Amino acid sequence: MPDGRGEAEVSAASELFWLGEAGHSAGRWVLARPGVSRRRGAVSTAALEQRGVDRALVRQVTADLMGRMEATGAQWRTPGGVGWLDVHHVPVRRLIAQVVRKLLQLGTHPAFAAVPGAIRPVAGEALVTTRRGSAREYRYYTVTWSAVAYLLGGSLHRNHAYDVGLSRSDAIVPASSPAQERAAGPAEVVGVSWSSRHAATLEPVLAEVRRRGHSTVLLDLASDPAQQVRAEAAGRVAAVPGWRLRLHGGPDACPEAPTAWGRVATVAGVQVSLERLEFLASLVVGLSAGCTQPSWRASGEVEGWLEQQLAAAKPSAVVVASDINPLGVLAVRAAERAGVAAFNVQHGAWLPGSVSRPALLARYQVVMGERDAVLARQWVERPDAEVNVLGQPRFDSLSGADREGQRAYLLELLLRAGWFGVRRVLMFAAQPVSPGQLREQIQVLASGVRAAGGGWGLVVAPHPAQDADLVELAAAAGGVPLAVADAEIGARGCLAGADAVATLASTCGLEAVLLNLPVLELALPGAETLALAEQGAATACSTAQQVTAALNAVEGGAGGPGREAREAVCRWSGTSAADIAELIIDRATPGAATTAPGECSPHARAAEGVRP
């Protein structure tokens, strides 16, 4: 999932000035379009956004505000009783972090710090808007400076609340009707997927469950047709009707913008209305759509559909590939209400700072490596949760990767782009960040390749959820042997043929480590990485010069990480799918478990880092 980095550069430029006599408290603060009401001492909001703030303080204040909202917003629950901030915790937290950042930046303005107070918003400016990212489905929500003014007590104009960009966020969801719905039918194990990465993680496990004589069904909640599951490849599949994910609608408790002040919190020396903050959040959860950001109304509809499927299947186990995302939360909670054992299989790389509270919900957690087990033990919600280190099913097939065929594909891409004489290939596993960030990342790598010489070329591979057209635009780096991999191939389909792999936080970096390929961890300022370099599994590169040095080292014979570093990253024996299937059958079948959690079963030993 996108991480919200770089969201400070989002709101339309405006100017903040004091309408009144300088040095006197009689007057008010006003936001206006640039040049419309220029006053002496006016400060540009764009200039305010460039002012640095303490990131630790942003996280601390954001966590405090989230806690206040969770305590007072308990009445907003799905029909199944799941709290709105359990389902939509991540997008709301990102939105509030933007608010906190802007308030701290506002506090650095000496004139405002001297006379803080309400601000009159820009006439006609929306409170929450969207900006384009490189993700196909995910929407980046933006708090404008008029929203900050509204939180501080500014009056709300009629056309402030909504932005048409929010309501367009369902464009990728295919239409359907209630008449197309049908129950999945009986199944002992139910998988829940909403992306190609989830399906690729769960399908091998479900296949192993079936091989052991147990029936399965995969509930496909993908709203992007490109992410949907092919039934012939996954056994029995039941897809959620798209109309459920197209619905808009927020919590009934927040139907329109509040004008009363109500509960307040102090941030950066000024008082902020919590009711108004909740309203801003309700705009996001009411107008978003699709499986990655379902609206509040869509969440309730999907929850009802999940309950119908579980009632028809009567399973012993439900397995998901992420119980942090909105649909994963709904699936695990539905399983719990039905008395069904819930399993979460880590499908992608985890970052140490990506979770701000106990967020892993399923009782049975399956993680890739020991470094992930450390995070999982910090993040689990249940005191009786089991953490099992069993690797990643998608990686079982890595040992059979066609390195020669993939290398031929990479060289052919560069030839098609008009580049001859390339002898070595650096492959970059891109991720769906903002276009500006993507462009910066590719430029750093391209500059490093240019200086390295030695016949190096660069191939950029789009993420499965990424807009490939934006990748093509970002990759326009003249003078460097560069090509873009086909979207249907992606990084997973060609990384084995590279001489080195570059990544920030892509799971493909883990695959490259397991294949013993040199990995360049692109640690640009302000970016989060997988911290592979800290474990000796990658080379940290924050500049083009460091990229060049790393490529020259590869040219000089430097190889990939050692066995110890690989083991820390992921337990890789080629049997992860079978091991996870065994765990599911063992734990989900009443009376089948031969040992209690934490004793000496193979799974418990793996959870403690001891190899069976």
Side-chain angles (χ1 to χ4, degrees), residues 401-564:
D402 180 7
R403 295 201 183 208
E404 290 185 5
Q406 292 188 20
R407 181 165 189 80
Y409 169 75
L410 292 172
L411 293 175
E412 181 189 350
L413 282 175
L414 290 160
L415 280 172
R416 272 192 269 154
W419 298 102
F420 301 89
V422 174
R423 296 186 297 106
R424 294 187 179 275
V425 179
L426 171 65
M427 196 220 70
F428 175 43
Q431 290 183 278
V433 294
S434 71
Q437 290 173 312
L438 183 61
R439 191 177 304 111
E440 179 189 11
Q441 293 162 10
I442 294 175
Q443 287 175 346
V444 169
L445 291 172
S447 297
V449 167
R450 182 186 294 111
W456 277 95
L458 174 63
V459 172
V460 179
H463 187 277
Q466 198 162 24
D467 186 334
D469 291 341
L470 284 181
V471 177
E472 293 275 1
L473 290 174
V480 180
L482 191 152
V484 177
D486 298 305
E488 61 271 18
I489 299 294
R492 293 202 73 220
C494 61
L495 67 85
D499 294 280
V501 173
T503 178
L504 277 85
S506 171
T507 305
C508 291
L510 306 181
E511 296 182 59
V513 168
L514 298 181
L515 289 172
N516 203 31
L517 291 170
V519 176
L520 280 61
E521 194 162 57
L522 198 57
L524 299 181
E528 292 181 288
T529 70
L530 295 183
L532 295 174
E534 295 178 11
Q535 296 175 298
T539 301
C541 299
S542 57
T543 65
Q545 291 77 12
Q546 290 174 331
V547 171
T548 299
L551 296 180
N552 288 340
V554 174
E555 186 80 20
R563 179 178 178 81
E564 185 176 341

Side-chain angles (χ1 to χ4, degrees), residues 380-401:
V380 290
E381 180 189 60
R382 298 177 57 134
D384 61 347
E386 282 186 41
V387 177
N388 300 274
V389 183
L390 298 176
Q392 166 52 250
R394 292 202 312 273
F395 299 167
D396 284 353
S397 61
L398 281 178
S399 59

Side-chain angles (χ1 to χ4, degrees), residues 42 143 178 209 219 360 369 372 438 544 585:
V143 174
V209 169
L219 303 182
L360 299 178
D372 302 305
L438 183 61
I585 295 168

